[in-house]
Amino acid sequence: MPSATAPVRIGYCLSLTGPLAGNSRSARLAHDIWREDVNRRGGLLGRPVEFACYDDQGEASRVPGLYKRLIDEDKVDLVIGGYGTNTILAAMSVIIERQRFFVGLMGLGVNNALAYPNYFAMISTGPDPNAALTEGFFALAAEQAPRPTTVALLSADAEFSKNPILGAKANAEKYGFKIFHEATYPLATENFEPIIDAVAASNCDLLFLCSYLNDSIGLVRAIHAHPFRPKMVGASMIGPQNTAVKVALGPLLNGFVNYEYWVPVPTMMFSGIQEFLDAYQARAVNTGADLLGHYMAPLAYAQMQVVTQAVEATGGFDDADLAAYTRDTVFETVMGAVRFGMNGEWQEPRVLQVQFQGITGNEIEQFRSGSRQIVVSPPGLASGALRFPYADALSAQ
């Protein structure tokens, strides 16, 4: 048994190298700020907190072994999920076998098929995560005049894109859009011109994109340079949320509509968020983490706030007790009030669709506020109006 003053050890893995490194480093920095904050207040149950964090290098095959090491050799008090669907899903076999309490970070639909009762998702996609990620894109399109009727689905040929494409197909059917074109491309693609040529040949009204960091940059550049102008474009791109991608693309992003979980607009300024981001941004320089931290950092800090509140309320580290408490509690976090529901997802979705508007040049400061990322969905969180169609949004730069 640990002594009353022995550190509380929390174990997990993150992709600190490899293609997910930028986002993972943002999560790591947010976790470190949480650890310092909680230790400053006396730790968890009077004990200081420390992390055991291993680099999974973005390879899902490494993850189960790392969690076994954390549990069996390091004997950590708690485990948490790292970043992203692929690595969280890879951890679940070990988590279920050992019946551990597990809060994952940005896993999309990880528990849909498993239905493990001690899993909780720190992602605001709600009980139907596949559809919720991009429903706002289709709902907005259905409200426009003249109403679009057709859509092309273009995605990277990778594991992460499967669930968003399933959601896109469900939303297309729900809102009455016909799928005129569907294609995938290798993640290593560098020349997107022939891919956009094929999309243009379909003359689709909507262009749904499910892309990752480097290919998001390539797609935006190719679409901007191409004469084809769909009515709306974007929806499920991983990349434009990141400061480095915003700065690299600058005004080429104008008119794109894409999902977000948090942006600095008045409707999203929850208690503690500004103080946290001030601390994060002061330390992000030279860490390899996203300099503004708007995408990853608030959710990572909120992940640890859930753990804090559950431990303090139950008075210990019993996995069953922590899970039972978490299932029945509303948590106050920097992401606002969070209540978990079916399969450990948020009971209510809170996914944003934003449109990039008015970007000039490539300076980072214009992205610090929400003035260049206008929340256009859902209506209750909107900070401005959609510019439609895409060609008009471009001309309104």
Side-chain angles (χ1 to χ4, degrees), residues 117-395:
N118 296 352
Y119 169 83
F120 303 92
M122 187 47 65
I123 185 173
S124 56
T125 44
D128 189 2
N130 293 349
L133 185 71
T134 58
E135 182 169 6
F137 180 87
F138 289 92
L140 280 167
E143 295 170 356
Q144 305 309 307
R147 190 190 192 282
T149 60
T150 62
V151 59
L153 307 179
L154 182 58
S155 61
D157 186 10
E159 186 67 29
F160 75 84
S161 65
K162 292 179 180 178
N163 284 345
I165 289 297
L166 288 174
K169 290 179 177 179
N171 284 323
E173 181 177 1
K174 177 178 179 178
Y175 289 95
F177 294 103
K178 294 180 180 179
I179 299 172
F180 265 26
H181 178 81
E182 183 175 359
T184 61
Y185 58 86
L187 267 176
T189 299
E190 294 183 359
N191 179 16
F192 286 92
E193 184 177 356
I195 295 170
I196 303 305
D197 283 342
V199 172
S202 76
N203 199 32
C204 62
D205 294 324
L206 310 179
L207 175 51
F208 180 99
L209 302 174
C210 186
S211 54
Y212 205 57
L213 294 163
N214 289 336
D215 45 311
S216 287
I217 293 173
L219 279 167
V220 170
R221 287 174 171 160
I223 291 165
H224 192 271
H226 202 281
F228 175 59
R229 291 289 178 256
K231 300 294 194 305
M232 283 176 60
V233 58
S236 187
M237 307 174 74
I238 302 174
Q241 304 88 349
N242 296 69
T243 304
V245 174
K246 292 184 180 77
V247 169
L249 292 172
L252 302 186
L253 278 170
N254 282 324
F256 275 74
V257 177
N258 202 47
Y259 84 93
E260 282 275 11
Y261 299 127
W262 187 89
V263 289
V265 296
T267 54
M268 301 294 289
M269 298 307 295
F270 305 115
S271 177
I273 184 66
Q274 190 60 61
E275 294 84 352
F276 162 66
L277 284 174
D278 287 345
Y280 174 95
Q281 291 168 7
R283 294 174 51 172
V285 179
N286 299 324
T287 66
D290 185 281
L291 293 177
L292 297 179
H294 294 164
Y295 180 56
M296 176 62 62
L299 283 166
Y301 194 87
Q303 176 190 29
M304 302 314 301
Q305 288 180 303
V306 168
V307 172
T308 303
Q309 293 169 44
V311 167
E312 292 178 344
T314 61
F317 305 98
D318 181 85
D319 292 281
D321 289 347
L322 291 168
Y325 178 82
T326 302
R327 283 193 291 271
D328 295 331
T329 301
V330 178
F331 293 88
E332 296 300 328
T333 78
V334 295
M335 286 292 293
V338 175
R339 186 179 183 96
F340 298 100
M342 185 177 65
N343 290 332
E345 303 289 350
W346 287 22
Q347 194 171 78
E348 299 290 337
R350 199 186 301 153
V351 181
L352 312 175
Q353 287 285 323
V354 304
Q355 186 178 46
F356 292 96
Q357 298 178 6
I359 300 171
T360 58
N362 301 84
E363 295 299 320
I364 189 174
E365 287 303 311
Q366 65 187 319
F367 300 112
R368 195 173 294 277
S369 72
S371 63
R372 299 296 182 266
Q373 293 166 255
I374 309 304
V375 178
V376 291
S377 175
L381 296 173
S383 62
L386 177 74
R387 291 177 178 171
F388 179 88
Y390 169 58
D392 288 356
L394 278 173
S395 64

